[in-house]
Amino acid sequence: MLEFLEQWWFGAWNPGVLGIVIFTLVVTHVTIVAVTVYLHRFSAHRALEMHPALQHFFRAWLWVTTSMGTLDWTSVHRKHHATCETEDDPHSPKVKGLGEIFWNGVAHYKAACTEETHSRYGRGCPDDWIERNVYTKHSSAGIVLMLFINVALFGVLGITVWAIQMMWIPLFAAGVINGIGHHWGYRNYECPDAATNVSPWGIIIGGEELHNNHHTYPNSAKLSQKPWEFDMGWFWIRLFEICGLAKARSTGPVARQDPSKSNIDIDTVWAVLNDRFQVMAKYADDVVAPAVKREYEAADAGMQRLLKRGTRVLCREPSLIDEADQAQITQVTDHSDRLKNLYEMRQRLQAIWSKRGGNSDELLAAFKQWCLDAEASGEEALRDFVAHMKSYTMPQAAMARA
Ligand SMILES: [Zn+2]
Ligand SMILES: [Zn+2]
């Protein structure tokens, strides 16, 4: 009897406290990989192909560690991208408030799991025997099974391990990414919503930290874009690729630069369009920022205060500009003709990208005219920027020229 109680108290494995901590970190990391690589990048965005055996492993793992189904997660997430920062967005801190999404994100997720969301956004999700008869029909049985396994292994401490496992995704995925990833952090690109990179090292949440990069390139299997950024999910995808279990379909823009190219043709336009977020970031860094700096050095204290965040506000995604930002833009552009011109040129260039679904001759004409006006402006930084854009080419065109 005593032996039985002792075994129940300590569990069958008893690897010590450190062992249990390591075990917990490993299993929660596997859950993170299942969410970011399988649910997010593979199922919701089709950014990679995945071997059926690996898909089955992740589905079973998610069932026992999170009780989240592929159809629910995929469709709610696709809805988030399709309706980002609007009333219909299942988890926008801009609309619903950061505290609400951080602490109550799971409730918003569950509320969004409706028949309508499934039928509209759930295309391509698994609908086989095990999905219907096990994962969906008994969605909570998996986590109960996990509780028994943890208690059998670690005794009463297993309950703590289980509780941490159950909290991991609601806290990190629902709270940190859906809340903080649309609120705090830095932006590499002015994507058309408020998404931010929470940290340049995507380790704890498997790369999901790089949420601004992801909203900019949603179909990319790789979430890091800058050389100093690290994406743990991409590390796993590369490992799966080496083992023949996965294959990335896309890793971001495919446009290239050919220094020998200096004419503007439709290939230039498609290539610049393909890499437009990077191009617009370069416009902010190389054209607007130096001009703001020069104006700042010559300005009085009041204007310096306005110019301090000048580049950020002049180059910001329009839907993120509030009344205070707009007032600041007006004051800055009234103060400086040079900044006014650079601001208007940026608006014009942005407007050209929004015509990308239309007539390609008109697109080319508008782009050529923009480049001519930029070269005629007398701004050296603008001339250099045009020269940079002229070197753009798509891989097929570069191959044809070679
Ligand atoms: Zn998002
Ligand atoms: Zn996504």
Side-chain angles (χ1 to χ4, degrees):
M1 183 67 186
L2 204 66
E3 205 175 300
F4 171 78
L5 274 177
E6 198 180 302
Q7 178 140 5
W8 187 83
W9 187 258
F10 291 111
W13 188 8
N14 193 15
V17 173
L18 185 66
I20 293 177
V21 170
I22 292 170
F23 173 86
T24 310
L25 287 173
V26 170
V27 289
T28 47
H29 184 72
V30 176
T31 304
I32 289 284
V33 176
V35 172
T36 185
V37 176
Y38 169 74
L39 284 178
H40 192 194
R41 307 185 203 197
F42 165 74
S43 179
H45 292 287
R46 301 284 150 179
L48 64 143
E49 288 160 25
M50 192 181 279
H51 193 282
L54 194 56
Q55 292 180 41
H56 276 293
F57 168 76
F58 283 134
R59 286 167 64 191
W61 186 268
L62 288 163
W63 180 62
V64 294
T65 57
T66 70
S67 81
M68 292 193 301
T70 307
L71 176 62
D72 277 345
W73 202 98
T74 302
S75 54
V76 171
H77 187 72
R78 285 177 183 162
K79 188 177 181 190
H80 163 59
H81 277 269
T83 60
C84 205
E85 325 291 12
T86 69
E87 283 291 335
D88 294 332
D89 187 342
H91 38 64
S92 167
K94 290 274 173 248
V95 177
K96 297 185 168 85
L98 178 64
E100 179 61 22
I101 295 304
F102 190 85
W103 299 112
N104 218 2
V106 175
H108 287 281
Y109 168 81
K110 287 199 169 140
C113 296
T114 60
E115 286 283 330
E116 197 207 335
T117 312
H118 290 164
S119 67
R120 194 148 176 212
Y121 298 104
R123 197 161 42 88
C125 287
D127 185 27
D128 48 15
W129 184 89
I130 195 166
E131 191 69 39
R132 287 191 303 272
N133 294 293
V134 181
Y135 301 153
T136 307
K137 196 170 177 184
H138 304 289
S139 61
S140 302
I143 54 174
V144 175
L145 179 67
M146 193 75 221
L147 177 63
F148 280 115
I149 293 171
N150 280 343
V151 171
L153 287 175
F154 309 117
V156 283
L157 263 180
I159 299 171
T160 313
V161 175
W162 184 80
I164 294 170
Q165 280 186 277
M166 295 304 117
M167 271 164 44
W168 209 258
I169 289 301
L171 178 68
F172 284 111
V176 177
I177 284 308
N178 298 339
I180 292 173
H182 281 258
H183 193 83
W184 284 332
Y186 67 98
R187 279 166 70 84
N188 280 336
Y189 308 106
E190 285 305 309
C191 60
D193 52 57
T196 50
N197 288 337
V198 178
S199 147
W201 305 290
I203 299 167
I204 296 174
I205 335 175
E208 293 293 325
E209 290 90 338
L210 297 157
H211 207 55
N212 170 254
N213 296 354
H214 171 59
H215 270 259
T216 306
Y217 303 113
N219 300 324
S220 170
K222 181 173 176 243
L223 304 188
S224 57
Q225 290 288 335
K226 304 284 182 187
W228 57 86
E229 292 172 341
F230 177 76
D231 168 13
M232 194 71 193
W234 178 243
F235 167 84
W236 281 107
I237 291 170
R238 289 292 300 129
L239 211 61
F240 295 144
E241 278 189 332
I242 291 165
C243 303
L245 293 171
K247 192 172 184 332
R249 281 190 177 148
S250 159
T251 53
V254 292
R256 292 183 193 169
Q257 277 168 284
D258 175 357
S260 68
K261 190 180 177 216
S262 60
N263 65 316
I264 299 172
D265 52 17
I266 196 65
D267 166 49
T268 325
V269 179
W270 292 134
V272 173
L273 244 171
N274 181 259
D275 202 22
R276 65 189 177 282
F277 290 105
Q278 184 65 49
V279 168
M280 294 313 270
K282 190 175 174 64
Y283 188 88
D285 290 344
D286 294 1
V287 180
V288 181
V292 168
K293 189 165 176 260
R294 275 198 299 275
E295 294 290 339
Y296 179 88
E297 281 159 1
D300 59 28
M303 189 43 72
Q304 280 190 337
R305 223 180 21 252
L306 287 173
L307 286 166
K308 211 159 189 182
R309 281 175 60 243
T311 307
R312 234 181 95 184
V313 77
L314 288 171
C315 299
R316 204 157 201 210
E317 154 62 26
S319 64
L320 302 181
I321 296 207
D322 60 20
E323 264 178 48
D325 293 334
Q326 192 52 57
Q328 190 181 355
I329 292 172
T330 308
Q331 279 174 290
V332 166
T333 51
D334 282 351
H335 167 77
S336 159
D337 286 343
R338 171 182 239 169
L339 292 183
K340 186 175 186 205
N341 182 40
L342 296 181
Y343 174 69
E344 286 172 355
M345 287 297 279
R346 187 191 180 278
Q347 304 291 91
R348 263 181 65 194
L349 192 56
Q350 188 79 48
I352 294 174
W353 310 145
S354 63
K355 291 190 193 124
R356 61 188 181 276
N359 181 309
S360 54
D361 289 339
E362 280 172 23
L363 199 62
L364 178 58
F367 184 70
K368 272 186 171 167
Q369 190 57 51
W370 191 94
C371 292
L372 283 174
D373 293 346
E375 284 170 330
S377 69
E379 283 276 354
E380 205 184 316
L382 266 182
R383 260 205 314 276
D384 291 347
F385 179 71
V386 171
H388 170 78
M389 287 202 294
K390 281 180 179 172
S391 69
Y392 263 94
T393 180
M394 290 302 270
Q396 310 88 308
M399 247 146 62
R401 264 199 315 281

